[in-house]
Amino acid sequence: MDINYTLFSAVIIAFLVVNLGVGIWSTLKARKSSVAADEQFMLGGKSVPLVVIAMSYCAAAVSAGSFIGDPALAATMGWSYFWFPIFVTSGLCIPALFIIRRLKLQADKFGVLTITDYIGARFQSNAIKLYMAVVMAICYLFMLVSQFKGAAILFQMYTGVSFETGLILMMTVVVLLVVLGGLDSVAWSSFFQGFLMVFLALVMVIGAFVAVGGVSRLDSILSVDAPEILQIVETGEIAIIPWYAVPFIFLFTFFVMFSQPYLSSRYLAMGNVNRKSVGKLLIITLTITGFFNMMITAGITGRALFPEVLEGEMADYLTVTMSIELFPDIITVLIMIGFFSAIISTAAAVLLTVAQCVGNDIYGRIKKDASPKSKVIVIRVTVFVVAPLITAFNFYKTPEFLQLFVLMSLTGVGAMLCMPLFAGVIWRNATRAGAWCSAILGPVSYLVMSQILEWSWAISMGACVIPAAIGMFVVSWILNVVKGPDEVLQKLYDVE
């Protein structure tokens, strides 16, 4: 691969400087705000424009996994993996029709700033908030590992620096972006990055299909070289996505994925949640994520064009290799920025969420009289502590498939949160005991299904929603029958 390292290095430095400039601008703007320090840092003072929130929501939903890891898995598994983007796009929108407005109104009524804050207030339990914050912080650390690895791969291939140097550069940029402006800087930087990501998806997909000779030529090549790639579901005893895995992928995307706090915090940051605002948010989300998820097809075409890249542990390098080999430098530079945008937008959102767990949910729980300013200080300190840990883990053991680390992290968090969140918002008779039961059953059942029963990860990630739902509704129903409805929790449900 013949790469102009000087050109690529100059462009990436300029891109990173612009991102840091956004962070500094957000910091200066926050100093003039009359909003409490914690609300300004964690929710952007609830003044971020709707279109910025929508684009940052989409940008955060994709990541190194979506633009690097998803195509790598599609290249090795084939069209059967396409069930994930099909359901992810709709899963980020359809549940929102029933959740966003009531969630935001209830959260404003409680005066809370995070999803775990909301669940703790809705079920009148600081203990469940603390439990969720600890589990979430641990699970998201693994997701950050994959984001940092993705950035290091990009630095290594586009600029010629070592993998280790790329990790350190990634850590520095993301830390400064989060610490400087909180959600405001993360949302605005993701807004601008989102347009680059759309460009990346369109150019990569179209360019790859042109290079391979069109859909019919792609089908002809794979029919000979890898016919199993063409199956829409897998067959055989070791199939990861057999036909009966499809409903569980639906459950994963509609409940586990939708409930992720680094995404759902955008709902709390909205200034207005009337039907028009929610509709605009979802139309933008449906359109933009549709573009993003086309990137998976690049994995299929990449399998036909560069089968040698899949040898060994190089699958995660496939889309980067395609960008370098298929396009002139001027286009590759823009594609490179799109890759970095995907990674930085998600890494910054997840790192901010982890730090909020520590500063707001854990520290705020231990020190009940903590001031908004002291919570923000703890959040910033947490960022400085967590990022080097993630970097060190990648030095020690780099994961082979980015997206598997992402999916494991998402499932651990989403299986715990989905039923308390959904039931808390839409069910008047949801109980504290039901929330506890589902919050424990979700992640525990995932571990049992994936590690003890050794079910396919595509099945276990969605199947764990079922025990969580049963726990919530059965326990709550029994308590409502035996003890009668909890009038305090029912009043908290009401928003009128």
Side-chain angles (χ1 to χ4, degrees):
M1 295 182 289
D2 186 17
I3 303 175
N4 187 339
Y5 287 138
T6 302
L7 170 65
F8 281 70
S9 298
V11 172
I12 192 59
I13 289 172
F15 169 71
L16 297 178
V17 169
V18 170
N19 274 274
L20 295 180
V22 172
I24 294 171
W25 169 74
S26 296
T27 300
L28 296 175
K29 186 174 69 168
R31 290 178 179 177
K32 301 177 182 179
S33 175
S34 59
V35 177
D38 54 351
E39 181 177 323
Q40 177 64 41
F41 191 83
M42 289 189 276
L43 296 179
K46 300 180 182 177
S47 62
V48 180
L50 178 64
V51 66
V52 176
I53 290 177
M55 184 63 88
S56 70
Y57 177 60
C58 299
V62 303
S63 61
S66 300
F67 279 20
I68 299 176
D70 271 338
L73 285 175
T76 57
M77 297 175 60
W79 287 115
S80 62
Y81 190 74
F82 206 72
W83 289 106
F84 277 95
I86 288 175
F87 286 129
V88 163
T89 299
S90 53
L92 290 174
C93 297
I94 295 176
L97 294 172
F98 307 96
I99 297 296
I100 288 181
R101 185 171 184 275
R102 285 197 60 87
L103 171 62
K104 177 65 165 64
L105 293 175
Q106 288 177 343
D108 286 349
K109 176 182 177 180
F110 304 156
V112 298
L113 302 176
T114 66
I115 295 300
T116 46
D117 247 352
Y118 164 78
I119 293 174
R122 173 67 178 88
F123 295 105
Q124 292 293 283
S125 173
N126 283 322
I128 197 171
K129 180 176 79 169
L130 182 61
Y131 159 73
M132 288 180 168
V134 171
V135 173
M136 193 188 331
I138 294 171
C139 288
Y140 275 165
L141 290 180
F142 291 99
M143 185 170 179
L144 284 169
V145 166
S146 70
Q147 304 306 306
F148 277 44
K149 178 200 172 183
I153 289 174
L154 295 182
F155 276 114
Q156 184 181 26
M157 295 193 70
Y158 286 123
T159 69
V161 302
S162 67
F163 182 84
E164 292 75 16
T165 302
L167 283 173
I168 294 172
L169 289 171
M170 171 65 174
M171 177 190 72
T172 303
V173 172
V174 173
V175 164
L176 291 177
L177 183 62
V178 174
V179 166
L180 285 172
L183 181 68
D184 195 58
S185 64
V186 171
W188 276 102
S189 62
S190 297
F191 171 70
F192 295 114
Q193 291 164 4
F195 293 103
L196 292 168
M197 291 156 65
V198 171
F199 173 84
L200 160 62
L202 286 173
V203 171
M204 281 288 291
V205 171
I206 295 173
F209 272 112
V210 170
V212 83
V215 176
S216 60
R217 177 58 178 162
L218 174 65
D219 185 73
S220 299
I221 294 173
L222 294 178
S223 295
V224 175
D225 297 341
E228 70 281 0
I229 295 296
L230 301 176
Q231 298 177 344
I232 60 172
V233 291
E234 294 178 299
T235 57
E237 294 183 359
I238 59 173
I240 296 175
I241 305 181
W243 65 266
Y244 52 86
V246 174
F248 297 110
I249 297 174
F250 163 83
L251 290 176
F252 169 78
T253 55
F254 273 64
F255 291 95
V256 173
M257 185 70 184
F258 178 84
S259 300
Q260 299 302 314
Y262 76 93
L263 298 176
S264 50
S265 62
R266 271 43 175 197
Y267 313 146
L268 304 186
M270 293 174 66
N272 195 322
V273 284
N274 58 35
R275 287 179 175 81
K276 185 177 180 180
S277 297
V278 173
K280 287 181 179 178
L281 174 73
L282 298 183
I283 289 172
I284 294 172
T285 300
L286 187 64
T287 303
I288 299 301
T289 55
F291 282 120
F292 291 165
N293 284 320
M294 290 192 306
M295 271 297 293
I296 289 185
T297 63
I300 305 295
T301 53
R303 172 65 180 259
L305 291 168
F306 303 100
E308 69 279 1
V309 177
L310 302 180
E311 298 175 1
E313 298 182 358
M314 299 293 289
D316 281 332
Y317 290 74
L318 178 61
T319 49
V320 179
T321 300
M322 292 171 66
S323 73
I324 295 171
E325 297 289 350
L326 298 180
F327 302 97
D329 282 354
I330 186 63
I331 300 297
T332 305
V333 163
L334 295 175
I335 291 174
M336 173 191 70
I337 297 302
F339 277 127
F340 274 107
S341 297
I343 293 173
I344 291 175
S345 60
T346 302
V350 175
L351 183 58
L352 177 61
T353 301
V354 171
Q356 287 174 352
C357 289
V358 177
N360 185 73
D361 299 331
I362 298 176
Y363 171 75
R365 170 73 179 92
I366 296 172
K367 189 174 176 56
K368 296 182 180 180
D369 60 344
S371 67
K373 187 175 181 180
S374 67
K375 290 180 183 178
V376 172
I377 291 174
V378 174
I379 290 172
R380 285 178 164 143
V381 170
T382 302
V383 171
F384 281 113
V385 172
V386 168
L389 291 176
I390 300 303
T391 304
F393 186 93
N394 265 301
F395 274 104
Y396 169 69
K397 183 176 177 60
T398 304
E400 178 181 354
F401 281 106
L402 287 173
Q403 192 64 347
L404 292 184
F405 254 51
V406 172
L407 294 175
M408 287 189 298
S409 301
L410 294 176
T411 306
V413 174
M416 173 183 65
L417 289 174
C418 65
M419 284 304 126
L421 176 61
F422 275 72
V425 172
I426 66 177
W427 191 27
R428 199 165 190 262
N429 292 325
T431 65
R432 183 184 305 109
W436 264 112
C437 187
S438 64
I440 294 172
L441 276 178
V444 169
S445 62
Y446 169 63
L447 289 175
V448 170
M449 293 171 184
S450 61
Q451 302 303 315
I452 298 177
L453 299 179
E454 296 184 344
W455 290 3
S456 157
W457 51 263
I459 294 174
S460 57
M461 290 190 312
C464 61
V465 173
I466 297 174
I470 292 173
M472 167 60 81
F473 290 100
V474 170
V475 170
S476 294
W477 179 78
I478 292 173
L479 287 177
N480 278 286
V481 171
V482 175
K483 293 185 176 182
D486 187 320
E487 295 183 1
V488 173
L489 294 185
Q490 287 191 334
K491 288 180 180 179
L492 291 172
Y493 167 84
D494 298 327
V495 294
E496 302 301 335

Coordinates of all heavy atoms in Angstrom, one line a residue, residues 244-296:
Y244 N -33.7 -19.2 13.6 CA -34.4 -18.9 14.9 C -33.6 -17.9 15.7 O -34.1 -17.4 16.8 CB -34.6 -20.2 15.7 CG -33.3 -21.0 16.0 CD1 -32.5 -20.8 17.0 CD2 -33.0 -22.1 15.1 CE1 -31.3 -21.5 17.2 CE2 -31.9 -22.9 15.3 CZ -31.0 -22.6 16.4 OH -29.9 -23.3 16.6
A245 N -32.5 -17.4 15.3 CA -31.8 -16.3 16.0 C -32.4 -14.9 15.6 O -32.2 -13.9 16.3 CB -30.3 -16.3 15.6
V246 N -33.1 -14.8 14.5 CA -33.6 -13.5 14.0 C -34.5 -12.9 15.0 O -34.4 -11.7 15.3 CB -34.3 -13.7 12.7 CG1 -35.0 -12.4 12.2 CG2 -33.3 -14.2 11.6
P247 N -35.5 -13.5 15.7 CA -36.3 -12.9 16.7 C -35.5 -12.3 17.8 O -35.9 -11.3 18.4 CB -37.3 -14.0 17.1 CG -37.3 -14.9 16.0 CD -36.0 -14.9 15.5
F248 N -34.4 -13.0 18.2 CA -33.6 -12.6 19.3 C -32.8 -11.3 18.9 O -32.5 -10.5 19.8 CB -32.7 -13.7 19.8 CG -33.5 -14.9 20.3 CD1 -33.6 -16.1 19.7 CD2 -34.2 -14.8 21.5 CE1 -34.3 -17.1 20.1 CE2 -35.0 -15.8 22.0 CZ -35.0 -17.0 21.3
I249 N -32.4 -11.2 17.7 CA -31.7 -10.0 17.2 C -32.7 -8.8 17.3 O -32.3 -7.7 17.7 CB -31.2 -10.2 15.8 CG1 -30.1 -11.3 15.7 CG2 -30.6 -8.9 15.2 CD1 -29.6 -11.7 14.3
F250 N -33.9 -9.1 17.0 CA -35.0 -8.1 17.1 C -35.1 -7.6 18.6 O -35.1 -6.4 18.8 CB -36.3 -8.6 16.7 CG -37.5 -7.8 17.1 CD1 -37.9 -6.7 16.4 CD2 -38.2 -8.2 18.3 CE1 -39.0 -5.9 16.9 CE2 -39.3 -7.5 18.7 CZ -39.7 -6.3 18.0
L251 N -35.1 -8.5 19.5 CA -35.2 -8.2 20.9 C -33.9 -7.4 21.4 O -34.0 -6.4 22.1 CB -35.3 -9.4 21.8 CG -36.6 -10.2 21.7 CD1 -36.5 -11.5 22.6 CD2 -37.8 -9.3 22.2
F252 N -32.8 -7.8 20.9 CA -31.6 -7.0 21.2 C -31.6 -5.6 20.7 O -31.3 -4.7 21.5 CB -30.3 -7.7 20.6 CG -29.1 -6.9 20.7 CD1 -28.3 -6.9 21.8 CD2 -28.6 -6.2 19.5 CE1 -27.2 -6.1 21.9 CE2 -27.5 -5.5 19.6 CZ -26.7 -5.4 20.8
T253 N -32.0 -5.4 19.5 CA -32.0 -4.0 19.0 C -33.1 -3.1 19.6 O -32.9 -2.0 19.8 CB -32.1 -4.0 17.4 OG1 -33.2 -4.8 17.0 CG2 -30.8 -4.7 16.8
F254 N -34.3 -3.7 19.7 CA -35.4 -2.9 20.2 C -35.4 -2.6 21.7 O -36.0 -1.6 22.1 CB -36.7 -3.6 19.8 CG -37.2 -3.3 18.5 CD1 -36.5 -3.6 17.3 CD2 -38.4 -2.6 18.3 CE1 -36.9 -3.3 16.1 CE2 -38.9 -2.3 17.0 CZ -38.1 -2.7 15.9
F255 N -34.7 -3.4 22.5 CA -34.7 -3.2 23.9 C -33.3 -3.0 24.4 O -33.0 -2.0 25.1 CB -35.3 -4.5 24.6 CG -36.8 -4.6 24.4 CD1 -37.3 -5.4 23.4 CD2 -37.7 -3.9 25.2 CE1 -38.6 -5.5 23.2 CE2 -39.0 -4.0 25.0 CZ -39.5 -4.8 23.9
V256 N -32.3 -3.9 24.2 CA -31.0 -3.7 24.7 C -30.3 -2.5 24.1 O -29.7 -1.7 24.8 CB -30.2 -5.0 24.4 CG1 -28.7 -4.8 24.8 CG2 -30.8 -6.2 25.2
M257 N -30.3 -2.4 22.8 CA -29.6 -1.3 22.1 C -30.3 0.0 22.4 O -29.6 1.0 22.7 CB -29.6 -1.5 20.6 CG -28.8 -0.5 19.8 SD -27.0 -0.7 20.1 CE -26.4 0.7 19.2
F258 N -31.6 0.1 22.4 CA -32.3 1.3 22.6 C -32.1 1.9 24.0 O -32.1 3.1 24.2 CB -33.8 1.1 22.4 CG -34.6 2.3 22.6 CD1 -34.8 3.3 21.6 CD2 -35.2 2.5 23.8 CE1 -35.6 4.4 21.8 CE2 -36.0 3.7 24.1 CZ -36.2 4.6 23.0
S259 N -31.9 1.0 25.0 CA -31.8 1.4 26.4 C -30.4 1.9 26.8 O -30.2 2.3 27.9 CB -32.2 0.3 27.3 OG -33.5 -0.2 27.0
Q260 N -29.4 1.9 25.9 CA -28.1 2.3 26.2 C -28.0 3.8 26.7 O -28.5 4.7 26.0 CB -27.1 2.2 25.0 CG -27.0 0.8 24.5 CD -26.5 -0.2 25.6 OE1 -25.6 0.1 26.3 NE2 -27.2 -1.4 25.6
P261 N -27.5 4.0 27.9 CA -27.5 5.4 28.5 C -26.7 6.4 27.7 O -27.0 7.6 27.7 CB -26.9 5.2 29.9 CG -27.2 3.8 30.2 CD -27.1 3.0 28.9
Y262 N -25.6 5.9 27.0 CA -24.9 6.9 26.2 C -25.7 7.4 25.0 O -25.3 8.4 24.4 CB -23.5 6.3 25.8 CG -23.5 5.3 24.7 CD1 -23.3 5.7 23.4 CD2 -23.7 4.0 24.9 CE1 -23.3 4.8 22.3 CE2 -23.7 3.0 23.9 CZ -23.5 3.5 22.6 OH -23.6 2.5 21.6
L263 N -26.7 6.7 24.7 CA -27.7 7.2 23.6 C -28.9 7.9 24.2 O -29.3 9.0 23.8 CB -28.1 6.0 22.7 CG -27.0 5.2 22.0 CD1 -27.6 4.0 21.2 CD2 -26.3 6.1 21.0
S264 N -29.5 7.2 25.2 CA -30.8 7.7 25.7 C -30.6 9.0 26.5 O -31.6 9.7 26.8 CB -31.5 6.6 26.6 OG -30.6 6.1 27.5
S265 N -29.4 9.3 26.9 CA -29.1 10.6 27.6 C -29.5 11.8 26.6 O -29.8 12.9 27.1 CB -27.7 10.7 28.0 OG -26.8 10.7 26.9
R266 N -29.5 11.5 25.3 CA -29.9 12.6 24.4 C -31.3 12.9 24.6 O -31.7 14.1 24.4 CB -29.7 12.1 23.0 CG -28.3 12.3 22.3 CD -27.1 12.1 23.0 NE -25.9 12.3 22.3 CZ -24.8 11.8 22.6 NH1 -24.6 11.2 23.8 NH2 -23.7 12.0 21.9
Y267 N -32.2 12.0 25.0 CA -33.6 12.3 25.2 C -33.8 13.3 26.3 O -34.6 14.2 26.3 CB -34.4 11.0 25.5 CG -34.2 9.9 24.6 CD1 -34.2 8.6 25.1 CD2 -33.9 10.0 23.2 CE1 -34.0 7.5 24.3 CE2 -33.6 8.9 22.4 CZ -33.7 7.7 23.0 OH -33.4 6.6 22.2
L268 N -33.0 13.1 27.4 CA -33.1 14.0 28.5 C -32.5 15.4 28.2 O -32.9 16.3 28.9 CB -32.3 13.4 29.7 CG -32.7 11.9 30.2 CD1 -31.9 11.5 31.4 CD2 -34.2 11.8 30.4
A269 N -31.7 15.5 27.2 CA -31.1 16.7 26.9 C -32.0 17.6 26.0 O -31.7 18.7 25.7 CB -29.7 16.5 26.2
M270 N -33.0 17.0 25.5 CA -33.9 17.7 24.6 C -34.7 18.8 25.4 O -35.1 18.6 26.5 CB -35.0 16.8 24.0 CG -34.4 15.8 23.0 SD -35.6 14.6 22.4 CE -36.7 15.6 21.5
G271 N -34.8 20.0 24.7 CA -35.4 21.1 25.4 C -36.9 21.0 25.3 O -37.7 21.4 26.2
N272 N -37.4 20.4 24.2 CA -38.9 20.2 24.0 C -39.2 18.8 23.5 O -38.4 18.3 22.6 CB -39.3 21.3 23.0 CG -40.8 21.5 22.9 OD1 -41.6 20.5 23.1 ND2 -41.3 22.7 22.7
V273 N -40.2 18.2 24.0 CA -40.5 16.9 23.6 C -42.0 16.8 23.1 O -42.7 15.8 23.3 CB -40.3 15.8 24.7 CG1 -38.9 15.5 24.9 CG2 -41.0 16.3 26.0
N274 N -42.4 17.9 22.4 CA -43.7 17.7 21.8 C -43.6 16.8 20.6 O -42.5 16.4 20.2 CB -44.3 19.1 21.4 CG -43.3 19.8 20.4 OD1 -42.7 19.2 19.6 ND2 -43.2 21.2 20.5
R275 N -44.8 16.4 20.1 CA -44.8 15.4 19.0 C -44.0 15.8 17.8 O -43.4 15.0 17.1 CB -46.2 15.1 18.6 CG -46.9 14.2 19.7 CD -48.4 13.9 19.3 NE -49.0 13.1 20.3 CZ -49.5 13.5 21.5 NH1 -49.4 14.8 21.8 NH2 -50.0 12.6 22.3
K276 N -44.0 17.1 17.5 CA -43.2 17.6 16.3 C -41.8 17.4 16.5 O -41.0 17.0 15.6 CB -43.6 19.1 16.1 CG -42.9 19.7 14.8 CD -43.4 21.1 14.6 CE -42.7 21.7 13.4 NZ -43.1 23.1 13.2
S277 N -41.3 17.7 17.7 CA -39.8 17.6 18.0 C -39.4 16.1 18.0 O -38.4 15.8 17.4 CB -39.5 18.2 19.4 OG -39.8 19.6 19.4
V278 N -40.2 15.3 18.6 CA -39.9 13.9 18.6 C -39.9 13.3 17.2 O -39.0 12.5 16.8 CB -40.9 13.1 19.5 CG1 -40.6 11.6 19.4 CG2 -40.7 13.5 21.0
G279 N -40.9 13.8 16.4 CA -40.9 13.3 15.0 C -39.7 13.7 14.2 O -39.2 12.9 13.4
K280 N -39.2 15.0 14.4 CA -38.0 15.4 13.7 C -36.8 14.6 14.1 O -36.0 14.2 13.2 CB -37.8 16.9 14.0 CG -38.7 17.9 13.3 CD -38.3 19.3 13.7 CE -39.2 20.3 13.0 NZ -38.9 21.7 13.4
L281 N -36.7 14.3 15.4 CA -35.6 13.5 15.9 C -35.6 12.1 15.2 O -34.5 11.6 14.8 CB -35.7 13.4 17.4 CG -34.7 12.4 18.0 CD1 -33.3 13.0 18.0 CD2 -35.1 12.1 19.5
L282 N -36.7 11.5 15.1 CA -36.8 10.1 14.6 C -36.7 10.1 13.1 O -36.1 9.1 12.6 CB -38.1 9.5 15.1 CG -38.3 9.4 16.6 CD1 -39.6 8.6 16.9 CD2 -37.1 8.7 17.2
I283 N -37.1 11.1 12.4 CA -37.0 11.1 10.9 C -35.5 11.2 10.6 O -34.9 10.5 9.7 CB -37.8 12.3 10.3 CG1 -39.3 12.0 10.4 CG2 -37.3 12.5 8.9 CD1 -40.1 13.1 10.0
I284 N -34.8 12.1 11.3 CA -33.3 12.3 11.1 C -32.6 11.0 11.4 O -31.7 10.5 10.7 CB -32.8 13.4 12.0 CG1 -33.3 14.8 11.5 CG2 -31.2 13.5 11.9 CD1 -33.0 16.0 12.4
T285 N -33.0 10.4 12.6 CA -32.4 9.1 13.0 C -32.6 8.0 12.0 O -31.6 7.3 11.6 CB -32.9 8.7 14.4 OG1 -32.7 9.7 15.3 CG2 -32.3 7.4 14.8
L286 N -33.8 7.9 11.5 CA -34.1 6.8 10.5 C -33.3 7.0 9.2 O -32.7 6.0 8.7 CB -35.6 6.8 10.2 CG -36.1 5.7 9.3 CD1 -36.0 4.3 10.1 CD2 -37.6 5.9 9.0
T287 N -33.2 8.2 8.8 CA -32.4 8.5 7.6 C -30.9 8.3 7.7 O -30.3 7.6 6.9 CB -32.7 10.0 7.1 OG1 -34.1 10.2 7.0 CG2 -32.0 10.3 5.8
I288 N -30.4 8.9 8.7 CA -28.9 8.9 8.9 C -28.4 7.5 9.3 O -27.4 7.0 8.7 CB -28.5 9.9 10.0 CG1 -28.9 11.3 9.6 CG2 -27.0 9.8 10.2 CD1 -28.3 11.8 8.2
T289 N -29.1 6.8 10.2 CA -28.6 5.5 10.5 C -28.8 4.5 9.3 O -28.0 3.5 9.2 CB -29.3 4.9 11.7 OG1 -30.8 4.9 11.5 CG2 -29.0 5.7 13.0
G290 N -29.7 4.8 8.5 CA -29.9 4.0 7.3 C -28.6 4.1 6.4 O -28.1 3.1 5.9
F291 N -28.1 5.3 6.3 CA -26.8 5.5 5.5 C -25.7 4.8 6.2 O -24.9 4.1 5.6 CB -26.5 7.0 5.4 CG -27.3 7.7 4.4 CD1 -28.2 8.8 4.7 CD2 -27.2 7.3 3.0 CE1 -28.9 9.4 3.7 CE2 -28.0 8.0 2.0 CZ -28.8 9.1 2.4
F292 N -25.6 5.0 7.5 CA -24.5 4.4 8.3 C -24.4 2.9 8.1 O -23.4 2.3 8.0 CB -24.6 4.8 9.7 CG -24.3 6.2 10.0 CD1 -24.6 6.8 11.3 CD2 -23.7 7.1 9.1 CE1 -24.4 8.1 11.5 CE2 -23.5 8.4 9.3 CZ -23.8 8.9 10.6
N293 N -25.6 2.3 8.2 CA -25.6 0.8 8.3 C -25.4 0.2 6.9 O -25.2 -1.1 6.8 CB -27.0 0.3 8.8 CG -27.0 0.5 10.4 OD1 -26.0 0.2 11.0 ND2 -28.1 0.9 10.9
M294 N -25.3 1.0 5.9 CA -24.9 0.4 4.5 C -23.5 0.0 4.6 O -23.1 -0.8 3.7 CB -25.1 1.5 3.5 CG -26.5 1.9 3.1 SD -26.7 2.9 1.6 CE -25.5 4.2 2.0
M295 N -22.7 0.4 5.5 CA -21.3 0.1 5.6 C -21.1 -1.4 5.7 O -20.0 -1.9 5.3 CB -20.6 0.8 6.7 CG -20.1 2.1 6.4 SD -18.7 2.1 5.2 CE -17.5 1.2 6.0
I296 N -22.1 -2.1 6.2 CA -21.9 -3.6 6.3 C -21.7 -4.2 5.0 O -21.0 -5.2 4.8 CB -23.1 -4.2 7.1 CG1 -23.0 -3.7 8.6 CG2 -23.1 -5.7 7.0 CD1 -24.0 -4.3 9.5

